[in-house]
Amino acid sequence: MADPTLAVVLAGVIMVALNAYALLGGADFGGGVWDLLASGPRRQRQRDLIAHAIAPIWEANHVWLILAVVLLFTCFPAAFARIAIVLHIPLSLVLVGIVLRGSAFTFRSYDSRRDAVQRRWGAVFSGASIITPLLLGTAVGALATGRVRAPAGSFAAGFIRPWLAPFTIATGVLALALFAFLAAVYLTVEAGDDRELADDFRRRAIGAAIAAMIVAGGTLLVARRGAPMMHAGLTSSRWALPLHAGATLAAVGTLGALALRRFRLARIGAAGFVSLVIWGWAVAQFPLIVPPDLSVLNAAAPATTLRFIALGLVAGAAVLLPSLVYLFRIFKASA
Amino acid sequence: MHDLLAARGQMAMSLGFHIIFAVVGIGMPVLMVLAEWRWRRTGESVYLELARRWARGTAILFAVGAVSGTVLSFELGLLWPRFMAFAGPVIGMPFSLEGFAFFTEAIFLGIYLYGWERVSRRAHLLAGVAVAVSGVASGIFVVMANAWMNTPAGFRMAAGRVVSVDPLAALFNPAAFQQTLHMTLAAFVATGFAVAGIHAALLLRGPATPFHRAALGLALLVGVPAAILQPLSGDISARAVARQQPAKLAALEALFTTTTGAPLTIGGLPDAADGTMRFGLRIPYGLSLLAFHDPAARVAGLDQVPRADWPPVAIVHLAFQAMVGLGTFLALLSLVIAWRTWRRRPIAGSRGLLRAIAIAGPCGFLAIEAGWTVTEVGRQPWIITGILRTRDAVTPMPGIAVPFALFTLLYIGLAAAVVWLLYRQIVRMPAAAPHG
Ligand code: HDD
Ligand code: HEM
Ligand code: HEM
């Protein structure tokens, strides 16, 4: 009934959407982290730069997540239903975080007075920016553990233990560290001619990169027990070596570029590093979407649906991609 | 609280919240574009000021629309996983198209809001047009998905599974046309009158500045024609519902027994326990006339539906009465405004009329909430009419009262923040404040 090739292609599109969300939306969350950690004599300037960089595009960045969700429930309905049932709690909390972050950010930028009220919106914005990636990373990590099964037994066994374990906590922290790293690197570019400000974020980017690498190593360690299948995929499969080599190259390259103040190059390296981490996860669990049982093949929608969605995607992309390029040309070309 | 009830409550609350911002996302871009276009045509700076001010308000509301819409796309699965597992492949199409419409809307809104100094005037106005078009499109797509829940089409059932899916037939299901037409008009009625209401109230309170007069004129330009057309569109809906969803029609008219030449009851308190109607004004043959345009037509009553499958009659009936009442008021008021404009008498010249417009301000939004209550509660106990029951679709996760309470508190806080912010933004700012 399902069309295997098309199912794999559409699963790939979902991953592309998630990847784009991590690179674009993730950086917006990371911006919230640096908003909270703003310090030193240029504190206000740091915050202004963050707000300036996020403002015109956060809503567009955010739609990648919606695209991924919509494609998931259309193309792989059984997987979506399972995820929604078992991960109800972390996903609900992610939603609370998304609501608070998005609205607080907007309220802060549109409330034109610089007063205590505005600062309070800022606190909500940055607090939610920390909690949301933690929980999002936890939920994604839960998939890799293979414990997102049809609930049976007690409430804790069915709805809590699948996502609350050392491994998933590690993936949560990893997501936060990666997002903060991305944001700091992007902000070095956004700072433009302001050398002092660029240096502030250069230091932060280097610190976040080191933190992210340590957390990534730690995650791999706890994966041995917490997500054995993922661990096996990441250590001993055919593509494990090229993947790790690529990620290391990207990470070292980014650090080198930061050291040399080649910020645009660093931006490419950072995006490459984060993308490799994400695709590493995807490849390690392919063809499963929700291990141990729901795969790209057995959870796929009927072939007609997949074909229509593929057509819709092509038509949509024809409208969307030029518009996106236009948006970034207008707002990011000068940076 | 019972989990099913909590889930229904959370869904109703989230949708009732989102729809307000969604409607603003459909209506406001049209107002902004009209103002900017007037400014380009006349060169009068009040129109530029209006476009900018409205754009700022829209940005705040749009953000809340975006986050509450995101919540909904997850909630469909979090609360109704079995519905989504079933319906996803059939109605994923409109949701995916809607995704692209959102994307386009968000992109061009970004350009519109932040691009005043960065793109040419022409490109800026066109960006506004793109926002308006994609706003209307996203509303249409999502309502098509809802229409499918009311009149499912485009698939067959075999051994409890969906087979022979035809996404196009699902998209263009029988209820799609009347629902999208009625909803799109509703969005223009609601935003047009809400904006007109605010400026009418400000005109009543303060001096008649050109700013408020211009705003009032443009807002009425959007609201008045739509409000005059809305009862006609409602008539199309009612006749379609009579044919396609007889149980819903019986509930919204509180018709307990099948009747030939059925009367129309205005007002009244139905009592489902003993199948009677208290109070209310009866118009002989009215219902048969309205539903089938034939005084002798036979209208199916709730007696045709098993008792266990009745929707909550009183809620549906009262909500329907509220919508029609508000719609009638708005349509009559619009006729008066249209007449006065045709006679070239300024609207702001009559304090009585201004007062009526101020009162009409919230009416469009109230009618929308009431209308959705009719559609959604009137579908119960089905989540997909005749195919899947709401209670069979709900998540097995216990304790739904907790997220229901959490999201309710969150939305109450958010609503308070929005109201307060808009007040700080628009109302308290002096009319000649510099923009930026
Ligand atoms: C400004 C808002 C507004 C106004 C003034 C009206 N309506 Fe309405 N109505 C809606 C806003 C709305 C709505 C919220 O948009 C609904 C809910 C679902 C839908 O498609 O439209 C709706 C649904 C709805 C339905 C149910 C359709 C269905 O379930 O498929 C009927 C029969 C009517 N309307 C009829 C009317 C009539 C006879 C009106 C006469 C004045 C009227 N409406 C005014
Ligand atoms: C189950 C129902 C619904 C879901 C899942 C849903 C989903 C969404 C999502 C995800 C967004 C955010 C898009 C962005 O980030 O820009 C959104 C916004 C929007 N929705 Fe909904 N929606 C629903 C109901 C409705 C209805 C009934 C309408 C209109 C009639 C509507 C109209 C809109 C519009 C116009 C926007 C964009 C403008 C704005 O954000 O204010 N939606 N919706
Ligand atoms: C934004 C305008 C809408 C409003 C105000 C609204 C209102 C409601 C209400 C009041 C309920 C609860 C009914 C009950 O259980 O008694 C409900 C249920 C529901 N609605 Fe809507 N609705 C809207 C649009 C939509 C759309 C566009 C969709 C999806 C395509 C949708 C999907 C659902 C689902 C899945 C349920 C839960 C199952 C059920 O109770 O039947 N709604 N809605």
Side-chain angles (χ1 to χ4, degrees):
Chain A
M1 51 174 265
D3 178 335
T5 322
L6 207 50
V8 172
V9 170
L10 286 167
V13 175
I14 294 178
M15 281 311 299
V16 170
L18 280 181
N19 192 352
Y21 182 63
L23 293 185
L24 302 166
D28 292 346
F29 284 114
V33 175
W34 299 122
D35 182 89
L36 185 72
L37 298 180
S39 60
R42 288 174 294 282
R43 202 179 158 126
Q44 190 57 45
R45 265 158 68 200
Q46 291 168 4
R47 289 198 168 127
D48 288 346
L49 178 67
I50 293 166
H52 176 79
I54 298 179
I57 50 177
W58 78 263
E59 271 147 340
N61 289 345
H62 174 85
V63 189
W64 290 109
L65 178 65
I66 296 161
L67 195 63
V69 169
V70 168
L71 287 178
L72 186 65
F73 73 57
T74 312
C75 303
F76 305 102
F80 178 71
R82 174 81 64 77
I83 292 170
I85 291 172
V86 178
L87 301 180
H88 189 115
I89 298 171
L91 290 179
S92 289
L93 294 173
V94 164
L95 290 178
V96 173
I98 287 178
V99 169
L100 286 178
R101 190 193 78 99
S103 42
F105 176 73
T106 309
F107 294 172
R108 185 182 67 168
S109 18
Y110 277 89
D111 206 13
S112 33
R113 311 160 192 204
R114 285 190 176 277
D115 57 11
V117 178
Q118 220 196 13
R119 222 15 250 152
R120 236 170 285 147
W121 290 129
V124 175
F125 161 63
S126 45
S129 294
I130 290 176
I131 293 166
T132 315
L134 275 175
L135 285 159
L136 204 58
T138 302
V140 169
L143 290 182
T145 63
R147 287 201 257 164
V148 179
R149 299 169 203 240
S154 70
F155 180 75
F159 300 100
I160 294 186
R161 253 175 265 144
W163 55 271
L164 198 61
F167 174 74
T168 60
I169 293 171
T171 50
V173 177
L174 181 61
L176 181 63
L178 290 176
F179 289 173
F181 165 60
L182 275 179
V185 175
Y186 293 177
L187 286 165
T188 58
V189 181
E190 296 285 336
D193 298 331
D194 191 334
R195 218 184 141 90
E196 289 175 338
L197 213 48
D199 269 333
D200 284 351
F201 286 108
R202 186 170 76 131
R203 273 197 310 278
R204 286 168 168 76
I206 293 174
I210 293 168
M213 280 189 277
I214 294 173
V215 181
T219 309
L220 200 59
L221 278 182
V222 284
R224 192 208 281 279
R225 282 198 54 212
M229 193 195 64
M230 172 79 31
H231 186 261
L234 287 178
T235 49
S236 46
S237 72
R238 199 150 28 89
W239 39 263
L241 198 64
L243 193 79
H244 288 292
T248 313
L249 194 72
V252 173
T254 310
L255 284 176
L258 284 172
L260 297 173
R261 316 183 57 84
R262 301 280 305 272
F263 294 136
R264 278 160 193 278
L265 197 63
R267 180 165 66 177
I268 296 172
F273 175 64
V274 173
S275 304
L276 281 171
V277 173
I278 291 171
W279 284 92
W281 159 59
V283 174
Q285 75 174 50
F286 183 83
L288 292 172
I289 303 176
V290 186
D293 56 333
L294 295 178
S295 78
V296 169
L297 301 177
N298 69 16
T304 5
T305 302
L306 299 187
R307 272 199 292 279
F308 267 95
I309 292 299
L311 278 179
L313 280 176
V314 173
V319 178
L320 192 69
L321 291 181
S323 319
L324 260 184
V325 170
Y326 184 52
L327 177 77
F328 280 85
R329 283 257 296 273
I330 295 174
F331 293 108
K332 298 288 159 184
S334 56
Chain B
M1 190 191 281
H2 197 283
D3 284 327
L4 174 61
L5 207 59
R8 285 168 63 186
Q10 184 176 336
M11 194 72 201
M13 194 265 306
S14 310
L15 284 158
F17 186 83
H18 176 69
I19 191 66
I20 294 174
F21 300 92
V23 160
V24 170
I26 297 171
M28 280 316 285
V30 175
L31 279 176
M32 286 160 10
V33 169
L34 274 178
E36 193 181 344
W37 178 73
R38 280 297 292 249
W39 168 63
R40 276 166 58 98
R41 286 285 303 269
T42 65
E44 287 174 42
S45 63
V46 277
Y47 286 109
L48 175 63
E49 178 64 23
L50 256 184
R52 284 181 176 256
R53 220 47 111 64
W54 278 343
R56 286 175 73 86
T58 304
I60 294 176
L61 297 166
F62 189 85
V64 181
V67 292
S68 60
T70 310
V71 171
L72 276 177
S73 42
F74 278 86
E75 263 177 356
L76 282 175
L78 292 175
L79 298 174
W80 315 102
R82 288 171 190 155
F83 164 67
M84 289 314 282
F86 184 97
V90 192
I91 52 162
M93 189 73 183
F95 280 113
S96 310
L97 294 174
E98 194 205 13
F100 283 109
F102 288 150
F103 231 134
T104 322
E105 186 171 9
I107 290 172
F108 286 101
L109 188 70
I111 295 174
Y112 191 89
L113 290 175
Y114 298 90
W116 286 97
E117 274 79 38
R118 295 194 184 220
V119 299
S120 72
R121 280 184 170 199
R122 195 188 152 78
H124 192 262
L125 187 63
L126 284 179
V129 173
V131 177
V133 170
S134 43
V136 171
S138 42
I140 288 180
F141 287 134
V142 75
V143 171
M144 284 171 118
N146 178 265
W148 179 85
M149 296 164 59
N150 291 324
T151 56
F155 66 99
R156 276 194 310 112
M157 297 290 293
R161 295 185 52 142
V162 182
V163 292
S164 321
V165 174
D166 178 351
L168 277 185
L171 194 62
F172 296 100
N173 62 76
F177 170 72
Q178 79 258 13
Q179 277 198 237
T180 50
L181 174 69
H182 200 56
M183 180 68 231
T184 309
L185 285 174
F188 293 137
V189 175
T191 4
F193 273 95
V195 173
I198 291 173
H199 291 282
L202 291 171
L203 279 170
L204 281 170
R205 267 193 3 194
T209 61
F211 179 79
H212 290 312
R213 282 163 169 265
L216 184 68
L218 284 182
L220 289 175
L221 189 63
V222 170
V224 164
I228 294 174
L229 292 176
Q230 189 67 327
L232 304 177
S233 149
D235 173 58
I236 296 176
S237 290
R239 279 189 294 140
V241 170
R243 274 180 287 113
Q244 299 159 354
Q245 307 169 66
K248 185 185 280 180
L249 186 88
L252 63 82
E253 296 293 356
L255 186 67
F256 290 100
T257 39
T258 305
T259 316
T260 309
L264 182 73
T265 313
I266 295 182
L269 199 63
D271 186 344
D274 55 8
T276 56
M277 175 77 116
R278 242 159 270 145
F279 320 114
L281 178 69
R282 258 160 219 278
I283 302 176
Y285 305 108
L287 179 54
S288 290
L289 261 175
L290 277 182
F292 294 97
H293 285 196
D294 169 8
R298 192 179 118 101
V299 183
L302 284 161
D303 53 359
Q304 306 280 318
V305 183
R307 184 66 181 83
D309 287 355
W310 285 17
V313 181
I315 297 178
V316 178
H317 178 69
L318 291 178
F320 185 65
Q321 301 286 316
M323 168 175 60
V324 175
L326 292 163
T328 310
F329 165 59
L330 289 171
L332 292 178
L333 178 61
S334 295
L335 287 174
V336 173
I337 294 168
W339 170 251
R340 222 182 135 88
T341 311
W342 191 60
R343 300 294 304 273
R344 301 189 178 284
R345 300 225 298 268
I347 306 296
S350 156
R351 288 187 74 80
L353 197 54
L354 281 181
R355 222 166 272 139
I357 295 173
I359 293 170
C363 289
F365 281 99
L366 292 176
I368 284 179
E369 299 284 356
W372 277 106
T373 308
V374 174
T375 300
E376 303 288 278
V377 181
R379 188 181 56 243
Q380 302 308 315
W382 303 97
I383 191 167
I384 307 172
T385 309
I387 307 274
L388 184 68
R389 279 167 207 277
T390 310
R391 74 167 125 79
D392 297 327
V394 72
T395 178
M397 161 134 156
I400 297 297
V402 176
F404 180 26
L406 183 69
F407 279 97
T408 307
L409 282 179
L410 184 68
Y411 281 171
I412 291 175
L414 211 55
V418 168
V419 169
W420 181 74
L421 256 171
L422 287 183
Y423 181 73
R424 252 165 77 115
Q425 273 289 319
I426 296 166
V427 180
R428 267 179 27 190
M429 238 194 229
H435 46 249

